[in-house]
Amino acid sequence: CRADTGAKEPYFWNPRTHEFLGRTASSWGLILLFYLVFYIFLGGMFILTMYVMLLTLDDYKPTYQDRLATPGMMIRPRSEAMEILYNPQDTESWDRYTEALDIFLAPYNNSVQVQNNDDCLPDNYFIQEDSGEVRNNPKRSCQFNRTSLDACSGIIDRTYGYQTGQPCVLIKLNRVIGMLPGKDGQSPYVTCGAKKEDADAIGELAFYPPNGTFNLMYFPYYGKKAQVNYSQPLVAVKFLNISVNTDVNVECKINSNTLTTGGERDKFAGRVSFKLRITSSNN
Amino acid sequence: MGYGRSDSYRVATTTEKDEKESPKKADTKAEKKIKDMDDLKKEVPLTEHKMSVEEVCQKYSTDIVQGLTNAKAAEYLARDGPNALTPPPTTPEWVKFCRQLFGGFSILLWTGAILCFLAYAIQAATEDEPAGDNLYLGIVLSAVVIITGCFSYFQEAKSSKIMESFKNMVPQQALVIREGEKMQINAEEVVAGDLVEVKGGDRIPADLRIVSSHGCKVDNSSLTGESEPQTRSPDCTHDNPLETRNVAFFSTNCVEGTARGIVVCTGDRTVMGRIATLTSGLESGKTPIAKEIEHFIHLITGVAVFLGITFFILAVCLGYTWLEAVIFLIGIIVANVPEGLLATVTVCLTLTAKRMARKNCLVKNLEAVETLGSTSTICSDKTGTLTQNRMTVAHMWFDNQIHEADTTEDQSGASFDKSSETWLALARVAALCNRAQFKAAQDQLPILKRDVAGDASESALLKCIELSCGSVKQMREKNKKVAEIPFNSTNKYQLSVHETENEEDNRYLLVMKGAPERILDRCSTILIQGKEQPMDEEMKDAFQNAYMELGGLGERVLGFCHLLMPEDQYPKGFAFDCDDVNFTTENLCFVGLMSMIDPPRAAVPDAVGKCRSAGIKVIMVTGDHPITAKAIAKGVGIISEGNETVEDIASRLNIPVSQVNPRDAKACVIHGTDLKDLSQEQMDDILRNHTEIVFARTSPQQKLIIVEGCQRQVRHTQTDGAIVAVTGDGVNDSPALKKADIGVAMGISGSDVSKQAADMILLDDNFASIVTGVEEGRLIFDNLKKSIAYTLTSNIPEITPFLFFILVNIPLPLGTITILCIDLGTDMVPAISLAYEAAESDIMKRQPRNPTRDKLVNERLISIAYGQIGMIQALGGFFSYFVILAENGFLPSLLVGIRLNWDDRSNNDLEDSYGQQWTYEQRKIVEYTCHTAFFVSIVVVQWADVIICKTRRNSVFQQGMRNKILIFGLFEETALAAFLSYTPGMDVALRMYPLKPSWWFCAFPYSFLIFVYDEIRKLILRRNPGGWVEKETYY
């Protein structure tokens, strides 16, 4: 449009007026200085408001937890699409699962647990209240020994049953500060089932610890700052005679008298779904 | 194409010129154009007026008595087509619709939409589960363009409907004589050669060569701009067909008398038709606002592409894949498109158009709404626009004194002493020696509004007398007419003989009126204070002075005298013979002079003054005589008091005109014949060096040249031409109307052709409405700036979230849906409400805007909106975003780099800063809550933005908060934001979640900062005019 007006002055660099992009050096200098000062001021203001906001936060507990009313559930080993696919004969195919489980379970070794955590009274909440303003920190945690996972602990069977076609899947309940997952001394427990069409294929299941319970003594959680050595309780599911060469869609969910499974939208609130497929060239 | 058409009609009409020009057919286009103009300067190629009646008859094989034969007429009709103007090529409705759909601003949105679809296609091809955002955005963008397109299409359709209602639906009739029989036929069926009879009140059905006439007068004002009716007779009086008496033109009106003529041209070949064809062949340029919008699109595209490319390069450097980077590029470019602005601008223009329509300015083309505001020159036609197009008695001379009559439309002007005996005598002569009379059944109407049958000057006299002395009809009944000699051009007077009012007085009263010098010759006495005194030299000098003075005012002067005839010579019952005059017409008693003019409309001088103070040059362009034109120009202030023309200076100093330095004269009156000989440079010189210009005796083509000259004018040594408005009502104005940046036609008196050519129509024919137009145009320009500044500002808080999402890998702070909710939801009403904002200062006191320097959207506006206010807004939004995430457990330090895990659907135990674990859905709800909060924050900071955008220089405290629509807008956007956030189901529909009340207040400090910052900026702006702050931030 500039060209239309007939002004044939070069716009990029005008040697006559020493203008670069329509401005002289001092003009550029002034405007850039202005913006520099302006943005420094804005940055300062932003930092100030952020600082004030952070002051209002509690170090141990977030202001709002209403989005975490139903804790999520997750499995280990976890993979991209919530699928566990392997061939027992092909070590390569399940090696990564057992390795992942090994790493995941390392902090649960009895030696570590005994060293860091307390042996608590089961079936009771391990409540460690602050007394008013005085923080009762650091807070202790209860031992969750790897051995309580029994056949799925990876101690007896280093392959977690993967080699034999009886794989173990660990299930964990997401940590939520202050969550009390059961009342009247009843611990929440996990049940698993297959989606309708796979009902026959799933076969028998074994749960460790027995009944697939998350013992109440592991709750409530006090946050990673107060409760540094918290051991998240686990439930292991062992598929004892699952059909091979078929997709088995498994859904596990939490059963609790205080928690409800999430709505339709969230497939991982209080439940977890995954696909299991064991291929076998022998059959 | 336009040239082609002009060529063809030149070939068809100027047969004699064709031979000369045919060897030069290979001329360049430019030369050709000049040639066309030259041709048109010849005006009318008619030659029939110079032929004898017999020759004409021969040419059209018609008969002076019998007319055409029916067969011949049918043959001619088949050859020439119907006698009607070809309507200007109407654009098909779908083309008009497409123009709305793809014109100007829409292109930007279409480009955005196409880019969106492209991005979606790339995503769909490369990802399993493509996010639908780009698809939705593309659909919404298309929908916006289509809906606004429909809206403005229907708006314009509405005003063109009003246009259509102007069209005269009653088919014109014509009385033709064919095979010796008079027959009434549709004017469309008239053919060349037809013998046509017209009488007073008829419209001339085609161009006629008059063969016989009985006191026929035609009103040529729509063709030539002359307000006085012209006599038509069979004699050729002038070589120029427009001046000669023996041609009557198509679509002019016969005022009185009867005439018979042979049709020489029909339809488009008539003089009127040629002008209409010329008009439709002209291309009118882009409206200033269209140019502004184009400039705006350039700017916004520049910014968008710059940002897009920068972040494309950054994204590639940061290790994104090429495809991702391309999608980011598209995303950023599209994010820069202000989705709501098209609708906002359209609505703002429509609102102003409606407001103007209420004030009697009908705008045909929405974009023309603003044009009057940028106008720097108005070329106004005189007759009917500046004047009332109605002869009125303006002055009288009796008792050796000039008296001024009231010429205002509502009789609010000064009156004169009506007690003098002489005045009564003068009134009696004027009333009796007058054939005009009011048409029946108009008693309830005010006198000035009544229709009169008769000559314009006689009507003027009639109305004048009726107003000051009561019923003329009664006066005439009391003084019965016994004899009458009508006016003719040889003796130049009209006389009648009446009985006197006094029953006992048996003398007859002879009354006479006519050309003053002729009347004087017949008088031996003069009536002074009711007493007859001998006409001595002193009196004659006084008469001469008065006559000259009135004539110098451009007025048409008539002399009046009477004589009470001695009873001994003319006893009761004397048989007056008017053919062979058997009574005295000498030694009469001179009574006085009356002069008439087509007076200016009452509101015009004020309007011209306002235009002048608004820096607009008003030029008069008229077909009327220079003296009249100059008188009216002085009357309405186009030539202001104390300003002299070269001729004035010459006569004052008593030196020849050639010795006067033309630079000394600010005013000038230019005659059409002089104009013809002027070169372009001379023309430019005149327009540049005179502030007050009157063009008289101009032809339609010359009007066009004048308009082009004005458009070439360079203001303030800038390179762009001036923006010229033309007002006019006649067909002769229509080429100029079309050529002008904005043509303004008259709704009541305007001809159809002129209305077609115009962009705007003054429904009340009042020049003063133009001032309204200028005011509204300037206001909407200012307010559009404000509106755009407001709308553009929120672009920054809309783009930056995406940029930070790419750059530092944080969860997306603001989603596409929420952006659309702002642009097409909450921002709309406040942006539109700025169109209702009152002016900050007296916009009629400043100069017209400079189209090169004063842009609708300039770098400073972008700097303020994007660089300053927008940045504060973005910070406000980000602050609420960080507050919500932090209060939910994700501290800012954790967020940087979290994006990949955050958006991983299979990661359902993402840990927050407190050690809690989140499923994908859970954290997405928090993210969408952030989007909602960011959206609400933008609404909050936009409160401050709309308030600071109310003014560009004044403080809000000076401006006040009187704009009710704006206050409504503030509440509306807040309510809408709350509605979107809290309505159940919005989480599913728009992924918007309820906010905790405290989150509404996050952006408040930033809102406050915006207000304070801008108030300080404007304070410095006012304190230090022309300073750095003004240069860098005053948009």
Side-chain angles (χ1 to χ4, degrees), chain A residues 66-88:
Chain A
D66 46 350
R67 293 298 168 205
L68 294 173
T70 308
M73 278 173 80
M74 202 44 189
I75 56 161
R76 285 293 184 276
R78 78 168 261 247
S79 61
E80 264 306 296
M82 304 300 289
E83 287 171 339
I84 297 171
L85 316 169
Y86 75 100
N87 181 345

Side-chain angles (χ1 to χ4, degrees), chain A:
Chain A
C1 60
R2 228 159 239 277
D4 296 346
T5 60
K8 293 289 182 233
E9 295 267 321
Y11 182 64
F12 187 75
W13 168 246
N14 186 339
R16 189 177 58 80
T17 53
H18 291 273
E19 281 175 350
F20 173 69
L21 294 176
R23 283 176 183 274
T24 59
S26 61
S27 169
W28 273 114
L30 261 178
I31 192 78
L32 291 178
L33 181 72
F34 164 76
Y35 271 109
L36 184 72
V37 171
F38 181 71
Y39 287 148
I40 287 174
F41 166 74
L42 281 191
M45 161 118 185
F46 187 70
I47 288 167
L48 181 76
T49 50
M50 287 295 279
Y51 178 72
V52 171
M53 183 268 290
L54 291 174
L55 282 185
T56 67
L57 296 182
D58 188 308
D59 283 345
Y60 299 95
K61 198 175 183 219
T63 318
Y64 300 112
Q65 289 181 290
D66 46 350
R67 293 298 168 205
L68 294 173
T70 308
M73 278 173 80
M74 202 44 189
I75 56 161
R76 285 293 184 276
R78 78 168 261 247
S79 61
E80 264 306 296
M82 304 300 289
E83 287 171 339
I84 297 171
L85 316 169
Y86 75 100
N87 181 345
Q89 280 82 44
D90 177 10
T91 314
E92 289 278 299
S93 69
W94 48 262
D95 204 29
R96 54 195 173 111
Y97 296 131
T98 58
E99 266 170 38
L101 289 175
D102 282 342
I103 294 165
F104 181 73
L105 285 176
Y108 289 93
N109 283 338
N110 288 19
S111 52
V112 180
Q113 289 294 318
V114 168
Q115 191 185 339
N116 292 330
N117 293 338
D118 296 2
D119 190 8
C120 307
L121 180 65
D123 301 329
N124 279 305
Y125 288 126
F126 185 41
I127 293 178
Q128 307 162 68
E129 283 300 320
D130 298 330
S131 49
E133 283 299 298
V134 185
R135 297 274 184 192
N136 176 17
N137 289 337
K139 294 189 185 348
R140 306 292 303 162
S141 306
C142 295
Q143 293 175 9
F144 186 93
N145 290 321
R146 191 167 174 174
T147 45
S148 63
L149 294 178
D150 208 348
C152 289
S153 67
I155 298 168
I156 310 151
D157 176 3
R158 298 202 131 275
T159 67
Y160 301 91
Y162 279 80
Q163 196 168 26
T164 54
Q166 294 178 315
C168 285
V169 174
L170 299 180
I171 293 169
K172 66 192 188 71
L173 193 62
N174 278 356
R175 292 193 294 261
V176 175
I177 293 174
M179 179 182 67
L180 302 171
K183 58 183 180 186
D184 308 329
Q186 281 189 2
S187 296
Y189 60 97
V190 174
T191 52
C192 290
K195 297 261 171 72
K196 263 180 191 163
E197 58 270 29
D198 306 328
D200 303 333
I202 192 167
E204 271 180 76
L205 305 175
F207 291 94
Y208 311 98
N211 299 327
T213 54
F214 294 111
N215 198 291
L216 289 186
M217 67 179 172
Y218 301 107
F219 301 96
Y221 174 54
Y222 285 103
K224 74 174 177 188
K225 189 165 180 189
Q227 210 170 6
V228 181
N229 291 319
Y230 180 70
S231 295
Q232 196 170 8
L234 304 170
V235 167
V237 190
K238 194 170 178 72
F239 295 86
L240 294 175
N241 52 352
I242 188 166
S243 304
V244 290
N245 294 332
T246 47
D247 285 351
V248 183
N249 288 298
V250 183
E251 188 184 74
C252 296
K253 63 174 190 176
I254 187 88
N255 297 278
S256 152
N257 49 14
T258 56
L259 304 176
T260 49
T261 44
E264 266 307 294
R265 299 266 302 285
D266 193 347
K267 297 278 185 270
F268 294 92
R271 58 187 163 177
V272 61
S273 312
F274 56 94
K275 193 165 88 181
L276 195 57
R277 183 187 176 94
I278 300 170
T279 37
S280 177
S281 43
N282 285 358
N283 293 351

Side-chain angles (χ1 to χ4, degrees), chain B residues 778 781-786 789 840-841 843 846 854-856 858 860-861 947-955 959 1014 1017-1019 1021-1022 1033-1035:
Chain B
R778 290 185 174 187
F781 190 79
D782 283 3
N783 285 348
L784 269 183
K785 268 189 182 182
K786 296 174 182 175
E840 275 174 74
S841 55
I843 43 179
R846 63 183 193 211
D854 196 359
K855 291 285 180 196
L856 182 64
N858 50 30
R860 297 182 294 282
L861 190 149
I947 289 171
I948 63 161
C949 283
K950 274 164 68 74
T951 57
R952 294 189 296 142
R953 185 182 286 273
N954 284 355
S955 163
Q959 180 82 350
D1014 210 62
R1017 180 183 69 87
K1018 281 184 245 178
L1019 181 71
L1021 202 67
R1022 292 192 300 273
T1033 68
Y1034 183 66
Y1035 53 87

